[in-house]
Amino acid sequence: QVQLVESGGGLVQPGGSLRLSCAASGSSFNVYHMGWYRQAPGNQRELVARISSGGATNYADSVKGRFTISRDNAKRTVYLQMNRLKPEDKAVYYCNAGLNGIGYWGQGTQVTVSS
């Protein structure tokens, strides 16, 4: 099993930046594919970015060029650097760890983009 704890959310003005962190504990972190998802009120949870165990990344079209996902296996942490934030990026951001069809979720961290 994997336990995930997100941090780094908060209130930021449009055009600003935040870096989210997701710290993992439990089973071997480096074998898991990691992802960031978000859910805005009234919307379904959607994929923001993923990074494979080998470091390959992919992004939702809405965040390409603005967000960067990375991982530090030694620290058992995955990051989401969010730049040029927009009001539509406001959501609860969740960290996910997946392996062999089994997924684990963190509790989420709120990101609010507002002037």
Side-chain angles (χ1 to χ4, degrees), residues 48-80:
V48 176
R50 279 189 298 217
I51 185 166
S52 73
S53 58
T57 59
N58 64 293
Y59 298 89
D61 287 344
S62 59
V63 306
K64 280 181 183 176
R66 299 189 298 123
F67 291 11
T68 303
I69 189 171
S70 61
R71 65 191 296 162
D72 185 333
N73 289 337
K75 294 183 178 180
R76 306 169 66 86
T77 301
V78 63
Y79 303 98
L80 185 68

Side-chain angles (χ1 to χ4, degrees), residues 5-107:
V5 178
E6 302 98 332
S7 61
L11 172 64
V12 64
Q13 292 186 342
S17 299
L18 283 175
R19 188 174 83 153
L20 305 183
S21 299
C22 172
S25 60
S27 300
S28 301
F29 173 78
N30 58 307
V31 302
Y32 282 85
H33 307 300
M34 302 298 298
W36 286 98
Y37 292 72
R38 66 186 181 188
Q39 187 168 18
N43 290 356
Q44 290 187 334
R45 193 170 297 189
E46 63 177 3
L47 174 68
V48 176
R50 279 189 298 217
I51 185 166
S52 73
S53 58
T57 59
N58 64 293
Y59 298 89
D61 287 344
S62 59
V63 306
K64 280 181 183 176
R66 299 189 298 123
F67 291 11
T68 303
I69 189 171
S70 61
R71 65 191 296 162
D72 185 333
N73 289 337
K75 294 183 178 180
R76 306 169 66 86
T77 301
V78 63
Y79 303 98
L80 185 68
Q81 178 66 45
M82 305 187 294
N83 298 328
R84 304 201 309 276
L85 282 159
K86 304 176 181 179
E88 52 263 43
D89 295 318
K90 175 183 176 180
V92 178
Y93 284 70
Y94 297 91
C95 179
N96 175 271
L99 183 66
N100 296 332
I102 298 175
Y104 301 94
W105 295 92
Q107 83 288 349

